[in-house]
Amino acid sequence: MKKLLVLIILIPSLTFAQDKATELAHKFIITDGHVDLPYRLKVKNFQLTKEFVGIPVSSKDGDFDFERAKKGGLDAPFMSIYIPARFSSEEGKLLADSLIDMVNYISDENKEYFEVAKSPEDVRRIFKAGKVALPMGMENGAPIKELSDVAYFKKRGISYVTLTHSKANQICDSSYDPERPWQGLSPYGEEVVLEMAKQGIMIDISHVSDSTFYDTIEISPVPVIASHSSLRFFTPDFERNMNDEMLVKLKENGGVVMINFGSTFIDGEIQKIKNENGELLGKILEEKGLTRRDEAAKPIIQEFIKSHPTVFSDVEKVVDHIDRAVKFAGIDHVGLGSDFDGVGDSLPTGLKDVSDYPNIIKLLLERGYSESDIEKICSGNLFRVWQSALDYAAAQ
């Protein structure tokens, strides 16, 4: 009898928690610092024609479309204008323009669903209209060959620039690149950071080396963001993430870390298992005199994948990152930066696409976060930094 009573009590409680989380997901504006839709569509040969079927209103492809965004309460995903590190400045600028054109086209051809946003005020207005706002951030500053390019990209609708990506560029060093030609920001990079502040573009320190982060914090006259980074405490050997000392510095700067959802970003054990499986598969193929590209290797690889399935982290771990970021940086300095459409099949259980944001909110409620705290994480903190960047530029 007692066991039955427990079930009767718990089931409504779980339902209430999920319902409350869904309610808040639609009550509050949810921003996401990084969604890689444009480059995913570019790879699929997106064409600026009405006949192209890839317009993301309702789609089974990828992690983002309008219908799933509305279901999950996502209101302002920053469209990543991603520039691969292999591109020259000239090539990168052409690619950036093409991706910006794509986002504008998606908005123009689907006015009842999307609208490009260039400020928090834009996002609030678009939210009230029941549409999804599409602000833009350029991932990799390589296209900024001249300082005048900063104003150019601002005019084109870019609201933040990630200083680099997987390789050092003319601006700074990358966390992924063993080569550190600048030992932080380059002299030109210092000028770029100051010009970004002058133009009202948020400075994004995701992907940069530690020394670049500290150089940027030292000279930036405005708060910075980490648009899609997680915490190194949970991934000790991953410089791409932020350590506790950096979180303290970010708080002093007034900035925001926006937590990446990728399993390898949030759980070091996941990467360890992947590395071990990769080494094991390599040994198996080597013993047979094969490489991964050989035709004869395909059935062996397929069988290996069946017996060694992909492992994932879960939404609980994402909220663990939020907890630790709050501990070291404070509730005013944390946001969400999923990297949807950018981390492939490594998304954690409970966060497989943009319909799943209520799962984060449910856990935050269960861990004692107030509704005010949750609103800050969803958008309030980013809006503060974004508005600070715009206000600083307006005062110049």
Side-chain angles (χ1 to χ4, degrees), residues 53 55-61 65-68:
V53 296
I55 294 290
V57 174
S58 178
S59 172
K60 294 181 180 179
D61 294 334
D65 60 47
F66 176 83
E67 290 184 354
R68 284 179 287 174

Side-chain angles (χ1 to χ4, degrees), residues 72-260:
L74 176 61
D75 304 296
F78 273 77
M79 296 287 97
S80 173
I81 306 303
Y82 166 54
I83 312 301
R86 68 180 182 275
F87 281 58
S88 67
S89 291
E90 293 79 8
E91 293 169 333
K93 190 171 184 179
L94 290 173
L95 176 58
D97 278 332
S98 74
L99 295 178
I100 293 168
D101 288 345
M102 179 197 297
V103 175
N104 283 316
Y105 178 82
I106 289 171
S107 174
D108 292 343
E109 292 297 322
N110 300 271
K111 293 182 184 296
E112 68 270 42
Y113 301 111
F114 302 111
E115 185 175 341
V116 170
K118 300 179 181 179
S119 68
E121 182 181 358
D122 282 349
V123 173
R124 293 187 183 100
R125 173 179 52 78
I126 295 165
F127 170 72
K128 288 179 180 178
K131 298 188 286 186
V132 171
L134 301 179
M136 289 182 279
M138 187 164 72
E139 186 179 20
N140 191 354
I144 302 174
K145 187 176 182 180
E146 308 289 343
L147 281 183
S148 59
D149 290 327
V150 177
Y152 172 82
F153 284 116
K154 171 65 176 178
K155 187 175 181 180
R156 293 237 58 198
I158 294 297
S159 291
Y160 75 69
V161 173
T162 316
L163 298 180
T164 190
H165 192 252
S166 59
K167 293 288 184 182
N169 61 15
Q170 73 274 22
I171 295 172
C172 66
D173 297 331
S174 166
S175 62
Y176 285 121
D177 192 349
E179 299 295 326
R180 304 292 167 94
W182 308 113
Q183 296 301 305
L185 284 172
S186 71
Y188 174 66
E190 294 179 359
E191 295 182 65
V192 169
V193 166
L194 295 177
E195 185 65 16
M196 285 171 62
K198 181 179 177 182
Q199 295 298 330
I201 293 179
M202 288 183 284
I203 300 157
D204 179 18
I205 53 80
S206 287
H207 282 284
V208 305
S209 66
D210 286 3
S211 53
T212 298
F213 167 81
Y214 289 112
D215 284 354
T216 303
I217 289 291
E218 183 177 345
I219 71 167
S220 176
V222 294
V224 306
I225 65 170
S227 67
H228 58 306
S229 294
S230 299
L231 308 188
R232 206 176 303 171
F233 175 82
F234 301 95
T235 58
D237 299 321
F238 195 29
E239 187 181 352
R240 170 71 174 78
N241 281 342
M242 299 181 70
N243 63 31
D244 295 343
E245 180 186 349
M246 295 165 83
L247 292 173
V248 173
K249 287 292 184 182
L250 189 73
K251 177 180 181 178
E252 294 172 358
N253 163 266
V256 177
V257 55
M258 308 183 76
I259 303 300
N260 190 307

